[in-house]
Amino acid sequence: MTTLLTTRDISRMVQTLGLPTMFQRMHDYLATDFRRWQDFEKCARVASHSEVGVIELMPIADARDYSFKYVNGHPKNTREGLPTVMAFGVLADVATGRPDLLAELTLTTAIRTAGASVLAARVLARPDSRSMALIGNGAQSEFQALAFHYLLGIDEIRVFDVDPAATDKLVAHLRNVPGLRVIRALSTHDAVRGADIVTTVTADKCNATILTPDMIEPGMHINGVGGDCPGKTELHADVLANAAVFVEYEPQTRIEGDLQQMPADFAVTELWQVLTGAHIGRAHAQQVTVFDSVGFALEDYSALRLLRDTAKQLGLGTSVALIPDLADPKDLFGHLMGKQQVLPRAA
């Protein structure tokens, strides 16, 4: 049988354990898997693009588990009452191919993306960082704000979105978070000024320039989350040119990230190299660092592992017959027809 985890199961996990614990567990699972980067068979995600969005498959495997995520990105969906991003994933046993887990990944992806942002910021941002500008206040914004608050000690969030209603929502959700000061900025320039960390998480599928070089101050860490498919960027090319740039999986980021603007020989560092000590992260306090994050299949693998383990701990999930339970593994037709079914013989 396959364990099915729905959005209700994920909500129960968060309500039982608390969001800070879920963020911490996600961060720890991500750190563990990034540090064993060489154990995985990896490839860039497979994408099907249309004029209004993209649908993607994100596979990865080690010697024990195979996982994939189905995910879309359709910025127009909010006008039709649907999320911009919707996702589900599978975790399967490599030895048999049996799918062990089928899980929602829309809510979970928001948690894992925030966890990956913090994982990178721990080694790339200045250790004394306490303020963050959050540009783009849509579905991902609360997760980014709270993960940085709970796990990295950010106590001031400066927020801006071209849609005032999105900022209204974010401010309302963060209003009563202990120890967190939320400042509503008048513009991107206003939000970014003096911030230790800048997170961009906008949704429009276009070559935007949310951050320009004149906004960047020495020592900033830029967490670029929104540029995640061909033709979709957030950072001016000169922001990258004047910074140390870090990515998840270089072949994918060169196609999808803000890095798509740069020449093929522009040097970047993969995050796993920093986490394992193979490469330096931030070199000095005045250096500008950029995490050009597009989301990678390893992060979904980590998220699915976390869901599987937490579901077992809390007794969550439903067993479903996704795969036929065969008395005779060679008799698939008999299972389809039912055990009591007797086929008529030919005359």
Side-chain angles (χ1 to χ4, degrees), residues 47-80:
S48 177
H49 294 274
S50 69
E51 292 182 359
V52 295
V54 63
I55 296 175
E56 301 167 333
L57 287 176
M58 302 171 63
I60 196 167
D62 64 4
R64 177 180 174 180
D65 295 308
Y66 172 95
S67 79
F68 75 83
K69 180 170 77 173
Y70 166 99
V71 62
N72 77 302
H74 287 72
K76 72 174 184 62
N77 274 6
T78 54
R79 299 194 297 270
E80 300 178 11

Side-chain angles (χ1 to χ4, degrees), residues 68-111:
F68 75 83
K69 180 170 77 173
Y70 166 99
V71 62
N72 77 302
H74 287 72
K76 72 174 184 62
N77 274 6
T78 54
R79 299 194 297 270
E80 300 178 11
L82 291 171
T84 298
V85 175
M86 297 174 283
F88 69 88
V90 168
L91 191 63
D93 176 37
V94 166
T96 64
R98 182 188 66 246
D100 292 328
L101 180 69
L102 172 61
E104 87 80 38
L105 285 183
T106 307
L107 297 172
T108 304
T109 291
I111 297 173

Side-chain angles (χ1 to χ4, degrees), residues 10-31:
I10 307 310
S11 294
R12 286 190 62 190
M13 285 184 190
V14 172
Q15 292 161 15
T16 301
L17 298 176
L19 196 51
T21 296
M22 283 296 293
F23 278 134
Q24 186 64 60
R25 288 190 179 187
M26 185 68 76
H27 170 278
D28 294 346
Y29 272 65
L30 289 165

Side-chain angles (χ1 to χ4, degrees), residues 237-308:
D238 286 345
V239 172
L240 300 176
N242 295 315
V245 179
F246 301 82
V247 301
E248 291 135 321
Y249 181 56
E250 183 177 348
Q252 181 172 294
T253 309
R254 287 200 178 275
I255 298 170
E256 299 180 349
D258 282 282
L259 191 59
Q260 65 190 271
Q261 306 172 80
M262 308 305 288
D265 60 352
F266 181 76
V268 299
T269 303
E270 291 183 330
L271 181 60
W272 73 270
Q273 296 174 293
V274 181
L275 295 171
T276 59
H279 196 285
I280 191 171
R282 169 174 291 272
H284 53 81
Q286 298 302 300
Q287 185 179 45
V288 175
T289 55
V290 174
F291 180 42
D292 187 5
S293 175
V294 299
F296 182 54
L298 178 61
E299 296 159 10
D300 304 307
Y301 169 94
S302 300
L304 287 163
R305 282 204 312 114
L306 173 61
L307 294 185
R308 178 183 61 189

Side-chain angles (χ1 to χ4, degrees), residues 44 71 103 119 180 193 321:
V71 62
L119 179 66
L180 181 61
R193 189 179 302 112

Side-chain angles (χ1 to χ4, degrees), residues 219-240:
M220 275 184 173
H221 171 61
I222 300 164
N223 178 39
V225 179
D228 58 1
C229 70
K232 184 171 185 274
T233 61
E234 295 182 312
L235 311 181
H236 190 286
D238 286 345
V239 172
L240 300 176

